[in-house]
Amino acid sequence: MNISLNWLKDFVTWDCSVEELAEQLTLVGLNVEEISYFVREYPGVVVGYVETCEQHPDADKLSLCTVNNGDSVSQVICGAANVKAGMNIVFAQTGAMLPGEFKIKKAKIRGVESFGMICSESELGLAVKSDGIMELAPELKPGTSIDELFGYRDTVLDVEVTPNRPDLLSHLGVAREVAAITGSLLNTPDVWSPPKAGKEAVDFTVEIEEFADCSRYTAHLARDLKVKPSPQEMINRLTAVGLRPINNVVDITNYVMFELGQPMHAFDLNKLSGNRLFTRKSKGGEIFVTLDGIERKLSDQDLVIADSIGSVAVAGVMGGQRSEVDESTSDLVLESAYFNPSLIRKTSRRLQLQSDSSYRFERTVDWENVDFAAKRALYLLQKNADAHIVSNFVDRQDPDRAELNTVPLRVEQVNRLLGAEITTIEVVDILASIGLKSKLLGQVSDRKSVTGQLMVTIPSFRRDIFIEVDLIEEVARIYGFNSLKIESNFRSGTGVKRRECDQVLEKAADYLTGAGFSEIITSSFVSLENVHNLRIAEGDYRFELMRIHNPHHGGETLLRTTMIPSMLDTVRHNINVDAKIPIKLYQINSVFLPSLKLERELRHEDEKLLPLERKILQFAIAGREEQAHHSLPMVLMELKGIVEQLSINMGDQLIITPGGDEPFYQKGLQFTLSNSAEDNIGSMGLVSSSVLSKYNIDYPVSIVELDLGKFGLNVPTVEFDNYSRYQASTRDLSLIAPETVSYKSIIEAVKDSGGKLLVDIEMFDIYKGKNIPSGSVSLGIRLKFQSTKSSLKSKSVDVAIIKVTERLSGTLGVTIRD
């Protein structure tokens, strides 16, 4: 947020330097990132008087003028249609510098020399476009520097505003903080007041479809106004904070937004159809042309403002071309409203359209400020546009809106947490300085009492204050952290060793991030429908869910027993917004299993009612459709490699065994994960197409889940192993194994019989179907042989392969596939 100090002085005064003010603001939480100096000056540009004006001898649309600058007369060629003799103009002499580093030089135009330039507003950077040159007041003396008329200097603070403090997205909000830390009075701007008698009827209405989407909407009518350039002071201030002046009406809405923090929009009344505005959701697929001239396709979740024939604005984001204010506008409707922040944020992101208005609505505007800001804009329309304000107006409000929140505050608790001795009177004064009204509960024995109790009313512009500790933080900010005494016996928590399991989880998360996965955080709640969609049987322990009473949110109330639905929901969302394929996601979250007993000693009897909470590491890949070998999907091979690397990073062995009975995975393409103690700790598989169809997902999705509670989370010991300089030799075996034989027993038999030269075993295929005997499965394994002493001879490898095949067939009934 750019803050103009010239503007800020309208509301508050201070007697320190700019640097000291910036430091004080930073100390109370408004981080001033930069101090910059806005300078608009015009070296070599003066007031000029046109003595003569004749047609150029060789051009119909050019004029040959003589301009007096107070000291001399210069010949100047001008192309503006409104130039004439006897007028005062802005004269850029030879050598003058205009905005954009544009230097004026002597020129020859159609054979005639020109010594300077007669300027328009746009050439001075005072307007977006101009119809002709500027005509100055006749009483101005030629030779007067244009800097005296249009030059401007200002100091601008670039203030970082955190998402929880939208009240600071305005000059008044920052002024309130300055007043609190300097002890100055806070001034408020002049606003329009409706006449006490003779009120006019307003033939205009507003209908709100859902108050949850728009809890307040005011509409004021301004008639017989004149659209023209804004006053110079307004242009200067808007330009200093980075805005582009357009005209007095549009500039007023922007001015009030940066002044008070309330976005507004002006509709040309004569371009609206009917005398009624509707606040409603868009009709899906509607094409809407915004003010920037771009056609945008709206969804049925986008909030719009509409008249009788269609949408005229994307609520809180941007207006439309059809009702745009222009030079012909004489009557307008001024909108000031409170829109649902979540709706505005979603629409802005989906349309990839962020405006100064949407930026503020997303972070919540001040509900009470809606009408006050509108009346400030009406005052400026009267002053700068000669508007007649219709005294009656529309103000639709949610009848069920909650009252202002109140929070109790114990002064004794303030001092206990801050280690201070702040009196009750001081606390009341501090809170009052930032707009928080306090009511004393009971009597205070004397003015130095430090044990009073207060009931604090939270104003509508401070929606970030909910509990007592929030108020204590406010007291600490304004009282000054530097003023707090630190006891000599205070001991910091430095040197506390982090738990090994936390270090291992962080290492696993870093590895997954490095492998291209994005972390997600999902809700702990699930719907019963989502559990049904996974085809989990009713007897399964995950089918028993615990319901939370009074969850304080408007969503589901059942605690999840599996994280598969949340992962699939997130995958679908990413596919719908055209995320890059393949989509790689991971999460470390909890599931809650009420059907299982707590795995710790109970501290009291009520803990029997608690569900068993397990921490799960889950990661998924969606969108990869390539096949690796035979029928085994490439994505499962990739996940297998990731699981093996995680096994190393997390300090415990992970054994991958083909098979499993999870109902949401495809049969024949799922695996069981076990640890070194042979406990089942997770699963890996390709989600079945029937489950994916329930989530409207068209891409294949593969998921890995690990129960971290059963996983030995230890920082692995790094050991040195000699690096072999000799080439390895690999052999692939295609096996037919009975279904009753586990993959683990096959691997153990291969390791035991393969000899010392066998350094690695990798499964690359699993198949069950055509040409495979009933009750059997086809497995493809790759054996890697390598020596650290010499190059391997094929005979040595052949001998090892013979021993492996003999062991497999002799002990397990596993044969080589023909």
Short mmCIF file of all heavy atoms in Angstrom, two decimals, residues 522-577:
data_model
loop_
_atom_site.label_atom_id
_atom_site.label_comp_id
_atom_site.label_asym_id
_atom_site.label_seq_id
_atom_site.Cartn_x
_atom_site.Cartn_y
_atom_site.Cartn_z
N THR A 522 -5.46 -30.36 3.73
CA THR A 522 -6.88 -30.60 3.49
C THR A 522 -7.65 -30.68 4.80
O THR A 522 -7.07 -30.83 5.88
CB THR A 522 -7.08 -31.92 2.70
OG1 THR A 522 -6.49 -32.99 3.44
CG2 THR A 522 -6.42 -31.82 1.33
N SER A 523 -8.97 -30.57 4.68
CA SER A 523 -9.83 -30.59 5.85
C SER A 523 -9.82 -31.96 6.52
O SER A 523 -9.69 -33.00 5.87
CB SER A 523 -11.26 -30.23 5.44
OG SER A 523 -12.17 -30.43 6.51
N SER A 524 -9.99 -31.96 7.84
CA SER A 524 -10.05 -33.22 8.61
C SER A 524 -11.44 -33.84 8.57
O SER A 524 -11.67 -34.88 9.18
CB SER A 524 -9.65 -32.97 10.06
OG SER A 524 -8.32 -32.51 10.15
N PHE A 525 -12.37 -33.21 7.85
CA PHE A 525 -13.75 -33.69 7.80
C PHE A 525 -14.04 -34.33 6.45
O PHE A 525 -13.42 -34.00 5.44
CB PHE A 525 -14.72 -32.56 8.08
CG PHE A 525 -14.59 -31.97 9.46
CD1 PHE A 525 -13.75 -30.90 9.70
CD2 PHE A 525 -15.30 -32.51 10.52
CE1 PHE A 525 -13.60 -30.37 10.97
CE2 PHE A 525 -15.17 -31.99 11.80
CZ PHE A 525 -14.33 -30.92 12.02
N VAL A 526 -15.00 -35.24 6.45
CA VAL A 526 -15.36 -35.97 5.23
C VAL A 526 -16.86 -36.22 5.23
O VAL A 526 -17.50 -36.25 6.29
CB VAL A 526 -14.57 -37.30 5.16
CG1 VAL A 526 -15.06 -38.28 6.23
CG2 VAL A 526 -14.65 -37.94 3.78
N SER A 527 -17.42 -36.39 4.05
CA SER A 527 -18.84 -36.72 3.96
C SER A 527 -19.00 -38.24 3.87
O SER A 527 -18.11 -38.95 3.40
CB SER A 527 -19.46 -36.06 2.72
OG SER A 527 -18.96 -36.64 1.54
N LEU A 528 -20.15 -38.73 4.32
CA LEU A 528 -20.42 -40.16 4.24
C LEU A 528 -20.46 -40.62 2.79
O LEU A 528 -20.05 -41.74 2.46
CB LEU A 528 -21.76 -40.46 4.95
CG LEU A 528 -22.06 -41.94 5.22
CD1 LEU A 528 -20.98 -42.57 6.08
CD2 LEU A 528 -23.43 -42.09 5.89
N GLU A 529 -20.92 -39.74 1.91
CA GLU A 529 -20.97 -40.08 0.49
C GLU A 529 -19.58 -40.38 -0.06
O GLU A 529 -19.39 -41.32 -0.85
CB GLU A 529 -21.60 -38.93 -0.30
CG GLU A 529 -21.68 -39.19 -1.79
CD GLU A 529 -22.18 -37.98 -2.56
OE1 GLU A 529 -22.34 -36.91 -1.95
OE2 GLU A 529 -22.39 -38.11 -3.79
N ASN A 530 -18.59 -39.61 0.38
CA ASN A 530 -17.23 -39.84 -0.10
C ASN A 530 -16.69 -41.20 0.36
O ASN A 530 -15.91 -41.84 -0.36
CB ASN A 530 -16.30 -38.73 0.40
CG ASN A 530 -16.24 -37.57 -0.58
OD1 ASN A 530 -16.42 -37.75 -1.77
ND2 ASN A 530 -15.98 -36.38 -0.07
N VAL A 531 -17.06 -41.62 1.55
CA VAL A 531 -16.63 -42.94 2.03
C VAL A 531 -17.31 -44.03 1.19
O VAL A 531 -16.68 -45.02 0.80
CB VAL A 531 -16.97 -43.11 3.53
CG1 VAL A 531 -16.55 -44.49 4.02
CG2 VAL A 531 -16.27 -42.03 4.35
N HIS A 532 -18.59 -43.85 0.88
CA HIS A 532 -19.30 -44.81 0.01
C HIS A 532 -18.64 -44.87 -1.36
O HIS A 532 -18.53 -45.95 -1.96
CB HIS A 532 -20.76 -44.40 -0.13
CG HIS A 532 -21.62 -44.81 1.03
ND1 HIS A 532 -21.85 -46.14 1.37
CD2 HIS A 532 -22.28 -44.07 1.96
CE1 HIS A 532 -22.64 -46.20 2.43
NE2 HIS A 532 -22.91 -44.95 2.82
N ASN A 533 -18.19 -43.71 -1.87
CA ASN A 533 -17.59 -43.67 -3.20
C ASN A 533 -16.33 -44.51 -3.31
O ASN A 533 -15.95 -44.94 -4.41
CB ASN A 533 -17.27 -42.23 -3.59
CG ASN A 533 -18.51 -41.41 -3.89
OD1 ASN A 533 -19.58 -41.98 -4.14
ND2 ASN A 533 -18.38 -40.10 -3.86
N LEU A 534 -15.67 -44.75 -2.17
CA LEU A 534 -14.45 -45.57 -2.18
C LEU A 534 -14.75 -47.06 -2.14
O LEU A 534 -13.83 -47.88 -2.15
CB LEU A 534 -13.57 -45.20 -0.98
CG LEU A 534 -13.03 -43.76 -0.94
CD1 LEU A 534 -12.15 -43.56 0.28
CD2 LEU A 534 -12.26 -43.44 -2.20
N ARG A 535 -16.05 -47.42 -2.07
CA ARG A 535 -16.51 -48.82 -2.03
C ARG A 535 -16.01 -49.55 -0.78
O ARG A 535 -15.82 -50.76 -0.79
CB ARG A 535 -16.06 -49.57 -3.30
CG ARG A 535 -16.50 -48.91 -4.59
CD ARG A 535 -16.21 -49.77 -5.80
NE ARG A 535 -14.82 -50.13 -5.89
CZ ARG A 535 -14.31 -50.89 -6.87
NH1 ARG A 535 -15.10 -51.36 -7.81
NH2 ARG A 535 -13.03 -51.18 -6.89
N ILE A 536 -15.81 -48.78 0.31
CA ILE A 536 -15.41 -49.40 1.58
C ILE A 536 -16.61 -50.12 2.18
O ILE A 536 -17.70 -49.55 2.29
CB ILE A 536 -14.87 -48.32 2.55
CG1 ILE A 536 -13.57 -47.75 2.00
CG2 ILE A 536 -14.66 -48.89 3.93
CD1 ILE A 536 -13.00 -46.61 2.83
N ALA A 537 -16.43 -51.36 2.56
CA ALA A 537 -17.53 -52.16 3.11
C ALA A 537 -17.93 -51.64 4.48
O ALA A 537 -17.12 -51.08 5.22
CB ALA A 537 -17.10 -53.63 3.21
N GLU A 538 -19.20 -51.86 4.83
CA GLU A 538 -19.71 -51.33 6.11
C GLU A 538 -19.03 -51.96 7.31
O GLU A 538 -18.97 -51.36 8.38
CB GLU A 538 -21.23 -51.54 6.18
CG GLU A 538 -21.99 -50.68 5.18
CD GLU A 538 -23.47 -50.65 5.47
OE1 GLU A 538 -23.87 -51.11 6.56
OE2 GLU A 538 -24.23 -50.18 4.61
N GLY A 539 -18.47 -53.15 7.18
CA GLY A 539 -17.78 -53.78 8.30
C GLY A 539 -16.36 -53.30 8.48
O GLY A 539 -15.72 -53.60 9.49
N ASP A 540 -15.84 -52.56 7.53
CA ASP A 540 -14.47 -52.04 7.58
C ASP A 540 -14.35 -51.01 8.71
O ASP A 540 -15.27 -50.22 8.94
CB ASP A 540 -14.13 -51.39 6.23
CG ASP A 540 -12.64 -51.10 6.09
OD1 ASP A 540 -12.13 -50.28 6.87
OD2 ASP A 540 -12.00 -51.70 5.21
N TYR A 541 -13.20 -51.02 9.42
CA TYR A 541 -13.02 -50.09 10.55
C TYR A 541 -13.06 -48.63 10.10
O TYR A 541 -13.35 -47.74 10.88
CB TYR A 541 -11.71 -50.39 11.28
CG TYR A 541 -10.45 -50.05 10.51
CD1 TYR A 541 -9.84 -48.83 10.66
CD2 TYR A 541 -9.88 -50.98 9.64
CE1 TYR A 541 -8.68 -48.51 9.96
CE2 TYR A 541 -8.73 -50.68 8.93
CZ TYR A 541 -8.14 -49.45 9.09
OH TYR A 541 -7.00 -49.14 8.39
N ARG A 542 -12.79 -48.38 8.83
CA ARG A 542 -12.82 -47.00 8.34
C ARG A 542 -14.22 -46.51 8.03
O ARG A 542 -14.42 -45.33 7.71
CB ARG A 542 -11.94 -46.88 7.08
CG ARG A 542 -10.46 -47.03 7.36
CD ARG A 542 -9.67 -47.22 6.10
NE ARG A 542 -10.01 -48.48 5.44
CZ ARG A 542 -9.34 -48.99 4.41
NH1 ARG A 542 -8.29 -48.34 3.92
NH2 ARG A 542 -9.70 -50.13 3.85
N PHE A 543 -15.20 -47.41 8.11
CA PHE A 543 -16.57 -47.01 7.83
C PHE A 543 -17.25 -46.38 9.05
O PHE A 543 -18.26 -45.71 8.94
CB PHE A 543 -17.38 -48.23 7.36
CG PHE A 543 -18.62 -47.85 6.61
CD1 PHE A 543 -18.57 -47.55 5.25
CD2 PHE A 543 -19.85 -47.78 7.24
CE1 PHE A 543 -19.71 -47.20 4.56
CE2 PHE A 543 -20.99 -47.42 6.57
CZ PHE A 543 -20.92 -47.13 5.21
N GLU A 544 -16.65 -46.59 10.21
CA GLU A 544 -17.20 -46.01 11.44
C GLU A 544 -16.59 -44.63 11.66
O GLU A 544 -15.39 -44.50 11.92
CB GLU A 544 -16.90 -46.92 12.64
CG GLU A 544 -17.56 -46.42 13.93
CD GLU A 544 -17.30 -47.36 15.10
OE1 GLU A 544 -17.03 -48.55 14.86
OE2 GLU A 544 -17.37 -46.88 16.25
N LEU A 545 -17.40 -43.59 11.56
CA LEU A 545 -16.91 -42.21 11.64
C LEU A 545 -17.47 -41.51 12.87
O LEU A 545 -18.58 -41.80 13.30
CB LEU A 545 -17.29 -41.42 10.38
CG LEU A 545 -16.70 -41.91 9.06
CD1 LEU A 545 -17.72 -42.75 8.32
CD2 LEU A 545 -16.24 -40.77 8.19
N MET A 546 -16.69 -40.61 13.41
CA MET A 546 -17.11 -39.84 14.59
C MET A 546 -17.62 -38.48 14.14
O MET A 546 -16.99 -37.79 13.35
CB MET A 546 -15.94 -39.67 15.56
CG MET A 546 -16.26 -38.78 16.75
SD MET A 546 -14.95 -38.78 17.99
CE MET A 546 -15.25 -40.36 18.79
N ARG A 547 -18.79 -38.09 14.67
CA ARG A 547 -19.38 -36.80 14.34
C ARG A 547 -19.02 -35.77 15.41
O ARG A 547 -19.04 -36.06 16.60
CB ARG A 547 -20.89 -36.93 14.23
CG ARG A 547 -21.58 -35.65 13.72
CD ARG A 547 -23.08 -35.86 13.58
NE ARG A 547 -23.40 -36.95 12.67
CZ ARG A 547 -23.45 -36.82 11.35
NH1 ARG A 547 -23.18 -35.64 10.79
NH2 ARG A 547 -23.76 -37.84 10.58
N ILE A 548 -18.68 -34.56 14.96
CA ILE A 548 -18.32 -33.47 15.86
C ILE A 548 -19.55 -32.56 16.04
O ILE A 548 -20.17 -32.14 15.07
CB ILE A 548 -17.15 -32.64 15.30
CG1 ILE A 548 -15.89 -33.51 15.18
CG2 ILE A 548 -16.86 -31.43 16.17
CD1 ILE A 548 -15.38 -34.04 16.48
N HIS A 549 -19.89 -32.29 17.29
CA HIS A 549 -20.97 -31.35 17.57
C HIS A 549 -20.41 -29.93 17.64
O HIS A 549 -19.30 -29.72 18.12
CB HIS A 549 -21.66 -31.71 18.89
CG HIS A 549 -22.37 -33.03 18.85
ND1 HIS A 549 -23.50 -33.25 18.11
CD2 HIS A 549 -22.06 -34.23 19.44
CE1 HIS A 549 -23.89 -34.50 18.27
NE2 HIS A 549 -23.03 -35.12 19.06
N ASN A 550 -21.21 -28.97 17.18
CA ASN A 550 -20.80 -27.55 17.18
C ASN A 550 -19.41 -27.36 16.58
O ASN A 550 -18.47 -26.90 17.24
CB ASN A 550 -20.81 -26.99 18.61
CG ASN A 550 -22.16 -27.11 19.26
OD1 ASN A 550 -23.19 -26.90 18.61
ND2 ASN A 550 -22.18 -27.48 20.54
N PRO A 551 -19.23 -27.72 15.30
CA PRO A 551 -17.90 -27.64 14.69
C PRO A 551 -17.44 -26.21 14.36
O PRO A 551 -16.31 -26.02 13.97
CB PRO A 551 -18.07 -28.44 13.40
CG PRO A 551 -19.52 -28.28 13.06
CD PRO A 551 -20.25 -28.22 14.38
N HIS A 552 -18.34 -25.21 14.47
CA HIS A 552 -18.01 -23.81 14.20
C HIS A 552 -17.57 -23.58 12.76
O HIS A 552 -16.73 -22.74 12.49
CB HIS A 552 -16.94 -23.29 15.16
CG HIS A 552 -17.36 -23.31 16.60
ND1 HIS A 552 -18.36 -22.48 17.08
CD2 HIS A 552 -16.97 -24.09 17.64
CE1 HIS A 552 -18.53 -22.74 18.38
NE2 HIS A 552 -17.71 -23.71 18.73
N HIS A 553 -18.08 -24.36 11.85
CA HIS A 553 -17.87 -24.10 10.43
C HIS A 553 -19.08 -24.66 9.70
O HIS A 553 -19.85 -25.44 10.23
CB HIS A 553 -16.56 -24.73 9.92
CG HIS A 553 -16.57 -26.23 9.94
ND1 HIS A 553 -17.13 -26.98 8.94
CD2 HIS A 553 -16.08 -27.12 10.84
CE1 HIS A 553 -16.98 -28.26 9.22
NE2 HIS A 553 -16.35 -28.37 10.38
N GLY A 554 -19.24 -24.24 8.46
CA GLY A 554 -20.45 -24.62 7.73
C GLY A 554 -20.31 -25.87 6.90
O GLY A 554 -21.14 -26.13 6.04
N GLY A 555 -19.26 -26.66 7.11
CA GLY A 555 -19.01 -27.83 6.27
C GLY A 555 -19.44 -29.13 6.90
O GLY A 555 -20.39 -29.20 7.69
N GLU A 556 -18.69 -30.19 6.56
CA GLU A 556 -19.00 -31.53 7.07
C GLU A 556 -18.68 -31.62 8.56
O GLU A 556 -17.88 -30.83 9.10
CB GLU A 556 -18.19 -32.58 6.29
CG GLU A 556 -18.45 -32.58 4.79
CD GLU A 556 -19.88 -32.94 4.44
OE1 GLU A 556 -20.55 -33.58 5.28
OE2 GLU A 556 -20.33 -32.60 3.34
N THR A 557 -19.28 -32.60 9.23
CA THR A 557 -19.07 -32.76 10.68
C THR A 557 -18.49 -34.12 11.03
O THR A 557 -18.29 -34.40 12.21
CB THR A 557 -20.41 -32.57 11.42
OG1 THR A 557 -21.36 -33.54 10.95
CG2 THR A 557 -20.96 -31.18 11.20
N LEU A 558 -18.21 -34.97 10.04
CA LEU A 558 -17.66 -36.30 10.30
C LEU A 558 -16.14 -36.26 10.17
O LEU A 558 -15.60 -35.82 9.15
CB LEU A 558 -18.24 -37.32 9.31
CG LEU A 558 -19.75 -37.57 9.39
CD1 LEU A 558 -20.19 -38.47 8.24
CD2 LEU A 558 -20.12 -38.20 10.73
N LEU A 559 -15.43 -36.73 11.21
CA LEU A 559 -13.97 -36.79 11.14
C LEU A 559 -13.56 -37.91 10.19
O LEU A 559 -14.09 -39.02 10.25
CB LEU A 559 -13.39 -37.05 12.53
CG LEU A 559 -13.42 -35.86 13.50
CD1 LEU A 559 -12.99 -36.30 14.89
CD2 LEU A 559 -12.51 -34.75 13.00
N ARG A 560 -12.60 -37.65 9.34
CA ARG A 560 -12.22 -38.62 8.31
C ARG A 560 -11.47 -39.81 8.89
O ARG A 560 -10.71 -39.68 9.86
CB ARG A 560 -11.38 -37.95 7.24
CG ARG A 560 -10.02 -37.46 7.72
CD ARG A 560 -9.28 -36.78 6.60
NE ARG A 560 -8.06 -36.13 7.08
CZ ARG A 560 -7.36 -35.26 6.38
NH1 ARG A 560 -7.77 -34.90 5.18
NH2 ARG A 560 -6.26 -34.71 6.87
N THR A 561 -11.68 -40.94 8.28
CA THR A 561 -10.94 -42.15 8.62
C THR A 561 -9.97 -42.53 7.50
O THR A 561 -9.20 -43.47 7.66
CB THR A 561 -11.91 -43.32 8.86
OG1 THR A 561 -12.73 -43.48 7.69
CG2 THR A 561 -12.79 -43.05 10.07
N THR A 562 -10.04 -41.83 6.39
CA THR A 562 -9.12 -42.05 5.27
C THR A 562 -8.90 -40.72 4.56
O THR A 562 -9.80 -39.87 4.54
CB THR A 562 -9.67 -43.09 4.27
OG1 THR A 562 -8.85 -43.10 3.10
CG2 THR A 562 -11.10 -42.77 3.87
N MET A 563 -7.71 -40.54 3.99
CA MET A 563 -7.40 -39.30 3.30
C MET A 563 -7.55 -39.43 1.79
O MET A 563 -7.29 -38.48 1.05
CB MET A 563 -5.97 -38.84 3.63
CG MET A 563 -5.78 -38.55 5.10
SD MET A 563 -4.31 -37.57 5.51
CE MET A 563 -3.02 -38.39 4.61
N ILE A 564 -7.99 -40.58 1.30
CA ILE A 564 -8.16 -40.78 -0.14
C ILE A 564 -9.14 -39.77 -0.74
O ILE A 564 -8.86 -39.16 -1.77
CB ILE A 564 -8.60 -42.22 -0.44
CG1 ILE A 564 -7.53 -43.23 0.01
CG2 ILE A 564 -8.90 -42.40 -1.93
CD1 ILE A 564 -6.27 -43.21 -0.80
N PRO A 565 -10.33 -39.53 -0.12
CA PRO A 565 -11.26 -38.56 -0.72
C PRO A 565 -10.68 -37.16 -0.86
O PRO A 565 -10.87 -36.49 -1.88
CB PRO A 565 -12.46 -38.58 0.24
CG PRO A 565 -12.41 -39.90 0.90
CD PRO A 565 -10.95 -40.20 1.05
N SER A 566 -9.96 -36.69 0.17
CA SER A 566 -9.41 -35.34 0.10
C SER A 566 -8.36 -35.24 -1.01
O SER A 566 -8.26 -34.22 -1.69
CB SER A 566 -8.80 -34.93 1.45
OG SER A 566 -7.73 -35.77 1.80
N MET A 567 -7.58 -36.30 -1.21
CA MET A 567 -6.59 -36.29 -2.28
C MET A 567 -7.27 -36.28 -3.64
O MET A 567 -6.90 -35.50 -4.54
CB MET A 567 -5.66 -37.50 -2.15
CG MET A 567 -4.63 -37.60 -3.27
SD MET A 567 -3.50 -36.17 -3.35
CE MET A 567 -2.42 -36.51 -1.97
N LEU A 568 -8.30 -37.09 -3.82
CA LEU A 568 -9.00 -37.14 -5.10
C LEU A 568 -9.74 -35.83 -5.38
O LEU A 568 -9.78 -35.37 -6.53
CB LEU A 568 -9.97 -38.33 -5.13
CG LEU A 568 -9.32 -39.72 -5.10
CD1 LEU A 568 -10.39 -40.81 -5.10
CD2 LEU A 568 -8.38 -39.90 -6.29
N ASP A 569 -10.31 -35.22 -4.34
CA ASP A 569 -10.96 -33.92 -4.53
C ASP A 569 -9.95 -32.87 -5.00
O ASP A 569 -10.24 -32.06 -5.89
CB ASP A 569 -11.60 -33.45 -3.21
CG ASP A 569 -12.95 -34.09 -2.96
OD1 ASP A 569 -13.60 -34.50 -3.94
OD2 ASP A 569 -13.35 -34.18 -1.80
N THR A 570 -8.76 -32.89 -4.41
CA THR A 570 -7.73 -31.91 -4.79
C THR A 570 -7.22 -32.18 -6.20
O THR A 570 -6.96 -31.24 -6.96
CB THR A 570 -6.56 -31.96 -3.78
OG1 THR A 570 -7.08 -31.83 -2.45
CG2 THR A 570 -5.58 -30.84 -4.04
N VAL A 571 -7.06 -33.44 -6.55
CA VAL A 571 -6.65 -33.79 -7.92
C VAL A 571 -7.67 -33.27 -8.93
O VAL A 571 -7.32 -32.67 -9.95
CB VAL A 571 -6.47 -35.32 -8.06
CG1 VAL A 571 -6.38 -35.72 -9.53
CG2 VAL A 571 -5.23 -35.78 -7.31
N ARG A 572 -8.97 -33.51 -8.63
CA ARG A 572 -10.02 -33.04 -9.55
C ARG A 572 -9.98 -31.52 -9.70
O ARG A 572 -10.09 -31.00 -10.82
CB ARG A 572 -11.40 -33.46 -9.04
CG ARG A 572 -12.54 -33.01 -9.98
CD ARG A 572 -13.91 -33.33 -9.43
NE ARG A 572 -14.17 -32.57 -8.22
CZ ARG A 572 -14.48 -33.12 -7.06
NH1 ARG A 572 -14.60 -34.42 -6.94
NH2 ARG A 572 -14.70 -32.36 -6.00
N HIS A 573 -9.80 -30.82 -8.59
CA HIS A 573 -9.74 -29.36 -8.66
C HIS A 573 -8.59 -28.90 -9.54
O HIS A 573 -8.73 -27.98 -10.36
CB HIS A 573 -9.59 -28.78 -7.25
CG HIS A 573 -9.33 -27.30 -7.23
ND1 HIS A 573 -10.31 -26.37 -7.49
CD2 HIS A 573 -8.19 -26.60 -7.02
CE1 HIS A 573 -9.79 -25.17 -7.44
NE2 HIS A 573 -8.50 -25.27 -7.15
N ASN A 574 -7.43 -29.52 -9.38
CA ASN A 574 -6.27 -29.12 -10.18
C ASN A 574 -6.46 -29.43 -11.66
O ASN A 574 -6.04 -28.66 -12.53
CB ASN A 574 -5.01 -29.82 -9.66
CG ASN A 574 -4.41 -29.13 -8.46
OD1 ASN A 574 -3.54 -28.28 -8.58
ND2 ASN A 574 -4.89 -29.49 -7.27
N ILE A 575 -7.13 -30.53 -11.95
CA ILE A 575 -7.42 -30.86 -13.36
C ILE A 575 -8.39 -29.82 -13.93
O ILE A 575 -8.23 -29.36 -15.07
CB ILE A 575 -8.01 -32.27 -13.47
CG1 ILE A 575 -6.93 -33.32 -13.13
CG2 ILE A 575 -8.59 -32.52 -14.86
CD1 ILE A 575 -7.45 -34.74 -13.04
N ASN A 576 -9.39 -29.43 -13.14
CA ASN A 576 -10.40 -28.48 -13.63
C ASN A 576 -9.83 -27.11 -13.92
O ASN A 576 -10.37 -26.37 -14.75
CB ASN A 576 -11.54 -28.36 -12.61
CG ASN A 576 -12.40 -29.62 -12.55
OD1 ASN A 576 -12.35 -30.46 -13.46
ND2 ASN A 576 -13.18 -29.76 -11.50
N VAL A 577 -8.74 -26.73 -13.23
CA VAL A 577 -8.14 -25.41 -13.49
C VAL A 577 -6.94 -25.53 -14.44
O VAL A 577 -6.10 -24.64 -14.52
CB VAL A 577 -7.71 -24.73 -12.17
CG1 VAL A 577 -8.90 -24.47 -11.29
CG2 VAL A 577 -6.67 -25.55 -11.41
#
